[in-house]
């Protein structure tokens, strides 16, 4: 069974990362079970293992945190739901690619609850939405990123996870080249014209998870 935890307020990054790594260590030692944490961070940038200095456009804008997960630069901040997934990948089939694919499909299923069509693109990490309201020079719709995915495994236990843009300040993304992708933008549920709250998204996440994965406990435990 997966335990869901909602961390209220804005969770400080370094302390939350340390707590997450401590929980993963406890899982590896058989002292803790699977958990998913739902939270928001204060404005900050994270640099994954593939981050390129050239993609940090405004290095003094917000704190920058190097992290061990895969990927490049990402932004976290208020109005963005961060979902840290501490799950036993080996017990879920031991196929890392399949596991990441299921995380992507989980996000897509969640967005579908709000009539948003999320899509995956080869060579571009995350979940994307077409913007027919913002056509490119050739008339085809632009595509904006609405969710990022980046995980790390330690002895088959996953951590880090997913971020979904609900109503962040999209101008905060201008300090980086998100995930190293220059030719596409970012969006959010509210930017798409949908008055979705964090509570709405959390309910959709839990419902979609229980359909996509097995062994879910939908009780929230406030830290």
């Amino acid at each position: 069974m997966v335990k869901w935890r909602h961390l209220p307020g804005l969770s400080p990054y370094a302390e939350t990362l340390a707590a997450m790594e401590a929980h993963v260590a406890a899982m590896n030692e058989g002292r803790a079970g699977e958990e998913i944490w739902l939270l928001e961070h204060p404005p900050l940038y994270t640099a994954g293992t593939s981050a390129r200095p050239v993609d940090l456009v405004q290095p003094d804008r917000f704190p920058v945190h190097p992290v061990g997960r895969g990927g490049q630069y990402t932004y976290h901040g208020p109005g963005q739901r961060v979902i840290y997934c501490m799950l036993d990948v080996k017990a879920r089939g031991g196929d890392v690619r399949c596991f990441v694919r299921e995380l992507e499909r989980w996000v897509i299923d969640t967005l579908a609850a709000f009539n948003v069509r999320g899509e995956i693109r080869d060579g571009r990490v995350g979940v994307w939405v077409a913007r027919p309201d913002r056509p490119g020079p050739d008339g085809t719709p632009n595509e904006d990123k609405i969710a990022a995915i980046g995980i790390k495994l330690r002895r088959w236990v996953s951590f880090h996870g997913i971020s979904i843009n609900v109503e962040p300040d999209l101008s905060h993304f201008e300090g980086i080249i998100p995930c190293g992708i220059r030719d596409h933008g970012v969006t959010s549920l509210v930017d798409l014209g949908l008055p979705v709250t964090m509570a709405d998204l959390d309910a959709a996440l839990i419902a979609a998870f229980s359909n996509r994965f097995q062994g879910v406990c939908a009780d929230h435990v406030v830290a």
Side-chain angles (χ1 to χ4, degrees):
M1 299 290 284
V2 178
K3 179 183 288 186
W4 293 72
R5 296 181 62 198
H6 174 255
L7 280 61
L10 298 180
S11 301
Y13 189 79
E15 291 87 339
T16 306
L17 181 61
M20 178 169 54
E21 291 189 341
H23 186 83
V24 170
M27 288 181 64
N28 287 146
E29 295 167 6
R31 298 185 288 105
E34 294 182 309
E35 292 193 3
I36 294 176
W37 296 358
L38 304 174
L39 58 117
E40 295 173 78
H41 285 305
L44 58 92
Y45 299 128
T46 65
T49 55
S50 301
R52 300 176 298 182
V54 68
D55 290 337
L56 183 58
V57 180
Q58 300 174 11
D60 299 324
R61 185 166 186 177
F62 297 124
V64 180
H65 296 267
V67 292
R69 59 149 178 83
Q72 302 185 37
Y73 283 105
T74 59
Y75 166 77
H76 293 315
Q80 181 191 72
R81 174 54 85 214
V82 174
I83 307 121
Y84 286 141
C85 303
M86 287 152 280
L87 301 172
D88 186 338
V89 177
K90 190 172 185 179
R92 296 174 180 278
D95 186 324
V96 177
R97 289 187 179 180
C98 179
F99 176 71
V100 172
R101 191 161 57 244
E102 287 301 290
L103 291 178
E104 293 171 340
R105 289 171 177 168
W106 176 29
V107 173
I108 290 170
D109 291 349
T110 299
L111 295 174
F114 307 104
N115 295 315
V116 174
R117 181 183 175 88
E119 299 179 309
I120 305 301
R121 291 289 180 263
D122 290 339
R124 279 193 260 144
V125 295
V127 177
W128 300 78
V129 293
R131 302 300 304 270
D133 57 322
R134 299 179 183 176
D138 61 355
T140 59
N142 282 318
E143 294 181 334
D144 289 343
K145 190 174 189 176
I146 195 168
I149 298 176
I151 65 164
K152 183 176 181 179
L153 264 63
R154 183 169 295 159
R155 289 169 53 190
W156 289 104
V157 173
S158 69
F159 57 117
H160 296 284
I162 300 166
S163 61
I164 301 176
N165 297 331
V166 178
E167 193 179 7
D169 184 337
L170 295 179
S171 71
H172 289 181
F173 286 88
E174 295 170 3
I176 57 172
I177 304 300
C179 298
I181 299 171
R182 297 176 178 272
D183 299 330
H184 299 276
V186 292
T187 190
S188 68
L189 289 166
V190 171
D191 182 54
L192 293 172
L194 301 169
V196 177
T197 67
M198 284 290 180
D200 295 333
L201 182 70
D202 291 347
L205 281 165
I206 291 171
F209 187 90
S210 63
N211 291 331
R212 179 61 60 183
F213 295 90
Q214 293 183 352
V216 61
C217 171
D219 293 332
H220 281 201
V221 179
V222 177

